[in-house]
Amino acid sequence: MPLVNPLKFIKKAQEKGVAIAAFNVHNLETIQAVVEAAAEERAPVIVQTTPGTLKHAGIEYISACVKVAAELYDIPIALHVDHCPSYKTIVQCIRNGYTSVMIDGSELPYEENVALVKKVVELAHSVGVAVEGELGRIGGAEDGITVEEREATFTVPEEAKAFVDATGVDTLAVAIGTAHGVYKWEPKLDFKRLSDIRKLVDVPLVLHGASGVDDDSIKRAIAGGICKINIATELKIPMAKTIQEVFRVKPEENDPRNYMGAAKEAVKEVVRRKIRLCGCNGLADELEGYR
Ligand code: 13P
Ligand code: ZN
């Protein structure tokens, strides 16, 4: 099947009180690891790339690979651009078949953020593409952009409602205490804030910086209204560690199929575990056209 707009399956997850796992990919092997595990788990999945990955791998290569994956497996697969600050890059992604975009204007003053997001929503909705917005600033480092702890700001529930109403975004990323990258200390999620946001905002909520957050907190966040969980670092770490281990055991190894193949299997295991944690395994079979 072609790539799909993820909104339908995110809403299905919302209805069922589970979440869709969204994985940041960087190359062919990570794409394969994500879609193979998702297909085996019968989970709809969001494959996502940051603008930095598009620079690294090339938008044409990435989009072609994920389109092929969608044709090979009978699960719904969406291709999403993550943390994109640029309207121009959003246009390029849509032209290359992306079915979902995140416009990240979280660095901008509120009014400018709203204006940019609105413009993206108008464009994306005219061609059936979903839009994720962000309000508040998620701390940590993602794609070379570092939000220092002092700059990170939690989402204000009333502002979140006003932002969703003003922009028409389909989903909203909320800052409730997670951060991108490896945690320096144990993250503590603000569940009261999540519940206050949920009471005011109907659109599905997105949790960024999910790597390193304990399973119970993830489950609680899902029960509190999170419908999409973003995972990047927890795939990067097993990839790097596996490759390091291959070379530790066999320093003369030079066949990429061996070290990348081993890395892919390690990533696949994490994808499978996260899908089960999110509770979206089997969800593909509950969606029309995939039974
Ligand atoms: P982690 O790298 O902390 O998993 O964050 C993922 C993310 O939010 C991608 O947008
Ligand atoms: Zn993120």
Side-chain angles (χ1 to χ4, degrees):
M1 294 222 187
L3 292 167
V4 296
N5 176 323
L7 205 53
K8 208 155 131 193
F9 62 71
I10 293 176
K11 284 193 170 156
K12 184 78 182 171
Q14 185 177 33
E15 199 183 294
K16 290 202 66 181
V18 300
I20 299 296
F23 300 98
N24 288 60
V25 298
H26 302 93
N27 57 11
L28 177 64
E29 283 80 3
T30 42
I31 294 171
Q32 290 174 325
V34 169
V35 296
E36 283 176 21
E40 284 164 23
E41 292 297 322
R42 302 294 304 145
V45 75
I46 298 173
V47 177
Q48 54 191 29
T49 58
T50 58
T53 299
L54 298 180
K55 222 183 249 171
H56 164 76
I59 193 167
E60 294 86 359
Y61 281 110
I62 286 281
S63 56
C65 290
V66 184
K67 279 177 205 164
V68 168
E71 292 298 342
L72 287 175
Y73 298 96
D74 64 340
I75 51 163
I77 299 176
L79 179 57
H80 173 84
V81 64
D82 188 34
H83 292 290
C84 185
S86 144
Y87 184 80
K88 198 171 152 207
T89 308
I90 296 267
V91 172
Q92 277 175 344
C93 287
I94 293 176
R95 284 209 175 118
N96 278 276
Y98 276 63
T99 53
S100 179
V101 296
M102 176 188 190
I103 177 72
D104 185 346
S106 61
E107 222 178 324
L108 300 171
Y110 181 81
E111 293 303 332
E112 284 175 45
N113 186 359
V114 167
L116 174 65
V117 175
K118 234 172 130 170
K119 197 168 137 192
V120 167
V121 167
E122 265 165 38
L123 168 76
H125 285 183
S126 73
V127 288
V129 167
V131 182
E132 178 179 326
E134 173 179 331
L135 199 64
R137 292 200 77 192
I138 295 154
E142 174 68 59
D143 212 22
I145 298 165
T146 303
V147 179
E148 298 296 342
E149 208 199 330
R150 63 178 182 283
E151 296 169 77
T153 46
F154 281 22
T155 306
V156 176
E158 294 74 19
E159 275 184 17
K161 179 179 168 30
F163 182 79
V164 169
D165 290 347
T167 58
V169 287
D170 300 300
T171 56
L172 182 72
V174 290
I176 56 165
T178 55
H180 292 116
V182 178
Y183 285 96
K184 294 188 192 99
W185 50 82
E186 213 182 305
K188 289 260 171 293
L189 273 61
D190 186 343
F191 293 108
K192 162 81 170 67
R193 185 178 297 272
L194 176 61
S195 150
D196 292 345
I197 298 169
R198 175 76 284 162
K199 279 181 202 144
L200 295 176
V201 174
D202 287 336
V203 298
L205 302 176
V206 181
L207 186 72
H208 283 242
S211 294
V213 178
D214 66 277
D215 288 2
D216 284 346
S217 297
I218 294 284
K219 282 185 194 153
R220 240 182 113 183
I222 296 170
I226 293 289
C227 309
K228 173 181 179 246
I229 304 259
N230 280 12
I231 300 139
T233 305
E234 270 194 74
L235 300 193
K236 289 182 192 169
I237 293 172
M239 175 128 204
K241 284 210 167 132
T242 306
I243 294 171
Q244 282 162 3
E245 182 59 14
V246 169
F247 285 106
R248 192 189 65 77
V249 173
K250 195 178 171 196
E252 71 283 10
E253 177 63 71
N254 62 16
D255 189 332
R257 290 167 297 188
N258 293 339
Y259 57 85
M260 293 305 286
K264 178 186 138 186
E265 290 308 314
V267 171
K268 203 171 152 182
E269 270 324 295
V270 179
V271 171
R272 189 191 305 285
R273 201 175 71 71
K274 294 293 177 185
I275 284 174
R276 291 183 186 174
L277 175 63
C278 286
C280 59
N281 45 319
L283 196 67
D285 296 322
E286 297 181 38
L287 294 159
E288 213 165 310
Y290 295 93
R291 280 183 280 269

